[in-house]
Structures are given as structure tokens and as C-alpha cells.
Amino acid sequence: MATQSTVKTSSASSEYSEGSIRVLKGLEPVKQRPGMYTRTDNPLHIIQEVLDNAADEALAGYGKKIKVILHADGSVSIEDDGRGIPFGLHPEENAPVIELVFTRLHAGGKFDKGKGGAYSFSGGLHGVGVSVTNALSKRLEATSYREGQVATLVFSGGDVTEPLVKRATGEGDRKQGTTVRAWPDAKYFESSALPMNELTHLLRSKAVLMPGVTVTLVNEKTKETQQWQYKAGLRDYLTQTLNGDPVIPLFEGEGFADGNSESFAEGEGASWAVAFTEDGAPVRESYVNLIPTSAGGTHDSGLRDGLFTAVKSFIELHGLLPKGVKLMPEDVFARASYVLSAKVLDPQFQGQIKERLNSRDAVRLVSSFVRPALELWLNEHVDYGKKLAELAIKAAQTRQKAGQKVEKRKSSGVAVLPGKLTDCESKDILHNEVFLVEGDSAGGSAKMGRNKESQAILPLRGKVLNTWEVDRDRLFANNEIHDISVAIGVDPHGPNDNPDMSNLRYGKVCILSDADVDGSHIQVLLLTLFFRHFPKLIEAGHLYVARPPLFRVDAPARGKKPASKAYALDEGELTAIIDKLRKDGVKEGGWSISRFKGLGEMSAEQLWDTTLNPDTRRLLPIELGPLDNAGTENLMTQLMGKGEAAARRELMELHGDSIEIDV
């Protein structure tokens, strides 16, 4: 019948039915996908989960000592003198509470916040905690001391292998506390070794954040013991770790909400220590309920906001902001080193490993305590306030300057050769030359008269910028300089830099300008550009000045000699040519002298003969004169510096009569 189904059932191996759905129970999800619950590069984080529990006991006021032992067999023990994990039967689950803590993903004493809860402030609400440590350990021994009894429980891969055993406390036993010894399972981690630097930093920070609590690290292999106890807390810690000297004394303080606060729960708030330095890498550490938040978060943003608002209002009150400078939070924060410890009743973290705090209210919480405290402090110490304002304003000016940096114009990641560049055919930089030609008309003649194989022409429009005092990052704002750099294939650099010369496109970079005062000026401006921003081109002998003639002398035929033409660079050469004609018997006035007003007046053929032809041209290599680099720089500053008019006048008065110039 047509109504019968013709669809065949698939084989049992690929059947998708009710039985295909697998329910991961207990700690199976952690073992299947450990990366979702913890860091898998090394076992530090699963040890930290146990450490955080010990710290929470101290934070709640029930413990004064935390001890971490690195055993010779690769296991790690964490001991505290808190109240001990309860080991009676859970009323609903009918299992010892200590067993549930280590075997259930969402079991713990931190969900019941506020009045009557065991923990008002603790490191998070994910509840996966030590059960992840248990799941990823080959063996875990948990021992709890409380109410005159000791209870021990042993797990393997998250499963109970030795059920709960209770006994009365003996003479050598502690009164109360918890000891957890874990053997991390190497198969879950890229490296089974604990990063010692991170571990010691973590333990030290716990001591910093809990003044009066003693934290000890014992390494059985090396027989070393380290101990930390900070009575003065954050201030001591920041002072010891700072890179550089503070510009003003440390700004420290704390603020916590009382029972009358409408916005925050009682006890929420922060304590902080902030130092401002001019140099050195800033030290920045933040914590929420003693959990290190290495990626920062909303509490860091609150500190940043509080500092910025206070400094900005101080600057406005005292009228310190220069015209055109706009202050941003980063300008105040850029040179700030700090240790921040926030207490948040119900912290929300990004990801299970709690690297970043996401609680939105934390911005307002921290800022509301930091801002008024800093405003008051700055106005009580105006001199220090002005120093801090100066630091922030300087940062703003540097930022604005950097924001004006002009990059090469690029297409598909490659600098685009300027459209007005007429390139040569050869790629051999031993023979290639580029002529930087003054003016479009001269550029036209040069293009027609050049050797296309090895000579490139880049016409320049108008006077080039005086770049002696132009910041390197701003050079490309000028089109001509941008085009010169791109055409040559070398980026601007300083005398002590090592620029990439592998992209140099021409062996000779030749300045070609008119043989008059304006031409000389353009020549000087280009030499200034190259000496200041492309010194390695000069050092490597790539820069030249082409010398076009100023005069042309046409002589008539004389005897066997046919009519001829000769070119003179200047008046001296002109005199020498005329003297020779006289000796050759040319009658006085029998020759005619033409003067070139500029390169644009020369035909392509004349330009080739006089200036471009390697056999007949005059090409001067540019190199440092009798002065060294520093001496040349001083002289150039006198000649080209903006504030050096008096020095230039003195030079002209001294040497003005030694120069013959046709103005």
C-alpha cells in the first residue's frame, strides 16, 4: 500500500533513541572536561581551591594558621586551624557532610549568605571548589578535627575508597581544623609540577590580606621552610614590591558599608594601598574575599574610577589643566601601582577559576569609598596633589601626541608606492638611482631624459617641511616626506637605531634642485630631513646631491673645431670656460651665455647631458664633515632650530662676507 513507510531503521550502532542520552553523574563531568572547571596547564588551581577554604576560615575569624606541605612523593597537604569540616550525616542526603563536600559539584557552606551563614564573605558561589580537586586527584585524604573527634576519609579519582573513620582526639592531635592531602593526577595536566613562583606569591598574598595570620610553606624535597606574616598588611607589601620610587607618599585607606547603607550589605567594601611612580613597571594586584583576581575586574574599575574622579576634581579646583589637554582615566591610572582587597557579599566571577570579578555593583562599591578619601587627602596635601596632577597631565599629553602618530598609507599590508613616482625597471640597487626633483616641470624633463632602466624620478611640490624639530611619529602627516620614505623603502629612524635596510629600493638617493637660492634652500631642507630622520642612509653612503649647471656657453666654430656648447656650475666655472675660448682664438663676444632660471627650462636632452648621465654629470656624495655626529647636530640646531634666530644672526655676522651669493 502507498501509505506504508519505506524508511528503514538504521543499525543499532548509530541509533539515536532514549538510550543514547548519557547522564554524567557525580564528578564525571569534571573528569570528561577538566578545562571547563579548572586550569589544566598545572595543578596549582586545584590546590588553590583547598587553600581558599582554609583562608575563608581565617577570614571568618576562626583560624590563625595555614600550612602548605609539598611532600617528596608529589602530594600536597594544606592544614588550617579553623573549625574543621562537619562530618555528621546530612539531614537530606543521608551521607557524611564531609563526603558531600568532596564529591558533589554544588555542595558547600558558602551559599547561605548573611545572618546565620557560616561565611559572610567567601571566594565565590560556584560551589565546585574542592570537589574538582578530588575529581582530578589519584588520591585525596581529608581529615577533620572538631568537637573532640578526628574523622578521616580517603578518595581516589573522586570516589570514596576508604569510608569515614572517626576516633576521639589524642594527645598529639589538634583541637580543631582541617587537613587535606591530595595527589594530583598527572594525566589531566600538561605539567604535573607546581609553579613555585606562583605558589609562593599566592601564599604571601594570603598573609598580606589577612594581617596577623601566619602562612607557612614546607618543601620536603629541599628541606626549606618559608613563613609569612604581615602585621601592617597592604602598605608593607606594596612598598616591598614597588618598581621605582613613589612620586608622592602612599595613599592607603579602607571603607566598609555599615548597617545603615541602602546600597550595600554590611561589611562590603575595600581596603587599598596606591603608589604613583614615574618609571618602572606598575605593580597591580587585586583580590576579592582573598581570591586573587589576576585578570582584574569590576573592583579594579572602581578603584580606577575613584582615583580618576578625585584627581580630575582636584585639577579642576586648582585650574591646573593646560588648554587643549583632555584628561582620561588612563592618564591617572597609567603610573599607579596598587594592592586592592575588596569584600563583596555575593561575588560573581568570570569562569570557574575566578580570575576576573564580574559583579557590576563592585565598581560603585569601591569607587564610593576611594573617591572621597582621595579628594580629602589631596586637598589636605596640596603640594602632593599638584605633583600627582603634573604626572597625570604629562601622561595625557604623551597619549595625545601618540594618538597623532601618522602611519604609512598601506594597501593589503604593503606600503603603496606614491603615484607620482616614475620608477625604474631594474631592481638592482647597486645601479638603481632615485632623483628627488624640485618641481613638476623639472620632473617632466627628468622623466623624459632619464635612463629608464636604472633611474627613477620623484617630483616634489613646493618647499619641503623643515623637519629638524618634528616628532618622528608625525613625519608621515606631510605628504612629501611620506612619499620619500615609501619610495626609498626605509622608515624614519634615529642615529642609534638599527632600521631595516633590506627594503632599500635604490643604491643612490640624489637630491636634484635648481642651481639658485631657492634650490639651495630646498637642498638644505632635504639634507636636514635625511640627517635628522634617515641618518643611516648617509652613514651607508646612499645620499648624493646632483649639481645642475647655472650657465650654458655656446661657442661658434673655430678653425677645425665645430660649434660647441659648455656648461658651468657657477660664476667661477663660467670665467674659466670663457678664458679657454679666448685662448682658442674666439673673438671677444663671439660666444653667447645663457643662464638657466631653473631645471624646468632645460630640455630632456640637456638635463641628461648635464645632470643625469653618469659619464658627464656632477654628483656629490653626502657625508659628515670635519665635525662628528654630535658637533654636526649642534651646528644644524643653530641653522635649523626654531628658537635659534639669535645664533643664526651671529653666524651670518661672522661668516656672511665669505659667501658670494646671487640673490
Side-chain angles (χ1 to χ4, degrees):
M1 284 176 67
T3 55
Q4 280 185 336
S5 170
T6 55
V7 179
K8 292 179 182 177
T9 55
S10 59
S11 64
S13 62
S14 60
E15 189 177 345
Y16 178 58
S17 64
E18 287 78 3
S20 312
I21 306 301
R22 187 172 164 211
V23 180
L24 294 178
K25 293 178 182 172
L27 297 178
E28 272 187 87
V30 183
K31 294 194 235 179
Q32 291 257 343
R33 297 280 186 275
M36 285 176 64
Y37 298 88
T38 186
R39 257 198 223 102
T40 53
D41 45 354
N42 61 62
L44 179 65
H45 185 250
I46 67 167
I47 299 305
Q48 192 182 322
E49 286 287 4
V50 186
L51 184 63
D52 287 345
N53 284 357
D56 283 336
E57 280 293 282
L59 186 62
Y62 299 107
K64 283 288 179 192
K65 291 177 187 168
I66 297 172
K67 187 176 187 179
V68 177
I69 304 166
L70 305 178
H71 297 285
D73 64 359
S75 61
V76 183
S77 289
I78 294 96
E79 297 176 4
D80 67 56
D81 59 347
R83 293 164 296 178
I85 302 171
F87 41 75
L89 286 181
H90 190 275
E92 293 160 19
E93 300 291 335
N94 203 24
V97 169
I98 190 168
E99 184 183 319
L100 297 175
V101 166
F102 283 95
T103 56
R104 298 288 176 90
L105 279 176
H106 299 282
K110 301 173 191 175
F111 295 97
D112 186 13
K113 301 286 184 182
K115 289 185 181 176
Y119 300 90
S120 285
F121 296 95
S122 63
L125 254 183
H126 293 80
V128 298
V130 287
S131 51
V132 170
T133 310
N134 193 13
L136 304 181
S137 295
K138 284 183 288 187
R139 179 181 171 90
L140 184 140
E141 296 172 359
T143 309
S144 175
Y145 302 81
R146 64 182 277 140
E147 298 165 356
Q149 287 184 299
V150 187
T152 305
L153 191 56
V154 180
F155 305 86
S156 177
D159 301 320
V160 178
T161 52
E162 294 177 30
L164 186 75
V165 175
K166 287 190 276 190
R167 63 173 173 81
T169 48
E171 270 188 36
D173 292 326
R174 281 176 287 153
K175 289 263 173 66
Q176 61 175 40
T178 305
T179 299
V180 176
R181 183 172 179 177
W183 285 257
D185 193 336
K187 74 180 179 189
Y188 294 113
F189 304 99
E190 290 161 36
S191 163
S192 56
L194 284 172
M196 290 306 294
N197 284 348
E198 278 186 62
L199 178 63
T200 50
H201 180 261
L202 183 66
L203 296 176
R204 184 176 160 201
S205 66
K206 295 288 186 202
V208 171
L209 299 168
M210 299 186 293
V213 173
T214 305
V215 181
T216 309
L217 173 64
V218 178
N219 190 331
E220 283 186 355
K221 279 185 190 171
T222 61
K223 304 284 190 290
E224 279 182 272
T225 299
Q226 287 172 274
Q227 198 167 77
W228 299 273
Q229 188 191 39
Y230 290 88
K231 292 210 160 60
L234 306 185
R235 182 189 184 88
D236 280 2
Y237 182 49
L238 185 58
T239 308
Q240 286 175 33
T241 44
L242 260 188
N243 303 312
D245 297 320
V247 176
I248 61 171
L250 259 65
F251 164 59
E252 60 176 329
E254 60 176 34
F256 298 97
D258 56 25
N260 301 320
S261 170
E262 290 180 11
S263 305
F264 306 109
E266 186 176 350
E268 283 194 306
S271 49
W272 62 83
V274 183
F276 293 93
T277 56
E278 272 192 281
D279 39 40
V283 175
R284 292 178 176 175
E285 293 187 23
S286 60
Y287 302 83
V288 175
N289 305 348
L290 304 204
I291 301 282
T293 40
S294 55
T298 47
H299 53 327
D300 286 53
S301 302
L303 179 70
R304 174 195 177 104
D305 182 67
L307 293 176
F308 171 64
T309 316
V311 172
K312 188 175 178 230
S313 71
F314 176 84
I315 287 173
E316 284 169 357
L317 181 67
H318 293 272
L320 302 173
L321 196 66
K323 197 174 178 185
V325 175
K326 184 170 170 53
L327 209 62
M328 302 288 280
E330 191 49 42
D331 303 325
V332 176
F333 211 55
R335 298 306 322 154
S337 289
Y338 63 84
V339 185
L340 170 68
S341 176
K343 279 190 179 180
V344 179
L345 184 63
D346 197 0
Q348 306 296 315
F349 291 96
Q350 182 175 306
Q352 167 53 24
I353 56 177
K354 303 170 188 170
E355 283 183 306
R356 181 179 177 83
L357 181 71
N358 271 4
S359 307
R360 287 182 184 172
D361 288 344
V363 179
R364 216 161 31 93
L365 171 71
V366 177
S367 179
S368 67
F369 289 117
V370 171
R371 183 182 47 76
L374 183 57
E375 271 182 15
L376 182 65
W377 190 85
L378 291 174
N379 287 305
E380 282 175 352
H381 306 86
V382 175
D383 287 349
Y384 291 142
K386 287 184 175 172
K387 275 190 180 177
L388 180 54
E390 202 178 295
L391 198 67
I393 290 164
K394 192 171 155 192
Q397 288 168 327
T398 306
R399 174 182 50 76
Q400 282 177 269
K401 205 172 182 183
Q404 294 172 332
K405 181 176 178 178
V406 185
E407 299 284 357
K408 272 186 194 170
R409 291 187 284 279
K410 292 186 177 182
S411 169
S412 309
V414 179
V416 183
L417 288 174
K420 57 190 178 180
L421 172 71
T422 305
D423 210 355
C424 53
E425 290 165 7
S426 165
K427 299 288 179 252
D428 179 2
I429 72 158
L430 286 173
H431 301 105
N432 284 3
E433 307 170 338
V434 63
F435 287 85
L436 309 179
V437 185
E438 172 196 347
D440 282 341
S441 57
S445 295
K447 281 176 199 175
M448 290 167 68
R450 74 193 171 115
N451 173 355
K452 289 180 183 177
E453 171 65 22
S454 60
Q455 292 178 328
I457 307 296
L458 181 65
L460 304 175
R461 293 190 182 96
K463 291 276 171 77
V464 179
L465 184 71
N466 177 3
T467 55
W468 190 250
E469 290 172 4
V470 173
D471 192 23
R472 197 154 292 134
D473 289 341
R474 293 286 300 148
L475 279 179
F476 287 154
N478 180 279
N479 283 334
E480 304 298 320
I481 294 164
H482 174 274
D483 290 352
I484 290 169
S485 176
V486 174
I488 293 169
V490 176
D491 283 341
H493 53 269
N496 301 318
D497 296 340
N498 290 310
D500 181 6
M501 300 285 275
S502 63
N503 295 321
L504 180 68
R505 302 183 68 249
Y506 307 100
K508 288 187 175 75
V509 177
C510 312
I511 298 169
L512 175 53
S513 59
D514 290 349
D516 58 10
V517 176
D518 272 348
S520 298
H521 187 205
I522 286 169
Q523 201 179 99
V524 167
L525 290 167
L526 284 167
L527 288 171
T528 302
L529 168 69
F530 285 108
F531 177 65
R532 187 59 145 186
H533 297 293
F534 297 87
K536 296 294 180 185
L537 281 178
I538 296 175
E539 203 177 289
H542 293 297
L543 189 64
Y544 294 79
V545 169
R547 304 207 57 200
L550 193 55
F551 303 100
R552 188 180 88 192
V553 181
D554 289 291
R558 48 211 182 273
K560 290 181 181 178
K561 284 189 178 181
S564 65
K565 57 183 177 215
Y567 296 96
L569 290 181
D570 51 31
E571 298 273 0
E573 283 194 5
L574 178 64
T575 306
I577 289 168
I578 291 171
D579 285 349
K580 191 169 184 305
L581 289 175
R582 284 192 183 112
K583 280 179 190 171
D584 285 351
V586 178
K587 68 175 194 279
E588 197 69 31
W591 54 81
S592 65
I593 301 169
S594 334
R595 176 183 170 130
F596 295 108
K597 287 183 182 171
L599 294 167
E601 285 197 352
M602 287 188 186
S603 66
E605 188 186 351
Q606 286 173 334
L607 200 55
W608 167 254
D609 284 344
T610 61
T611 319
L612 299 178
N613 185 346
D615 298 327
T616 56
R617 71 189 179 190
R618 313 271 188 95
L619 201 59
L620 296 180
I622 298 297
E623 53 193 39
L624 287 185
L627 298 173
D628 61 5
N629 201 68
T632 307
E633 198 169 310
N634 290 336
L635 184 60
M636 291 289 281
T637 301
Q638 285 182 0
L639 294 169
M640 307 304 291
K642 281 181 185 166
E644 298 290 332
R648 279 194 286 277
R649 180 176 178 152
E650 194 179 323
L651 278 170
M652 284 190 276
E653 285 171 351
L654 277 170
H655 305 293
D657 58 349
S658 64
I659 297 169
E660 285 184 26
I661 195 159
D662 183 6
V663 180

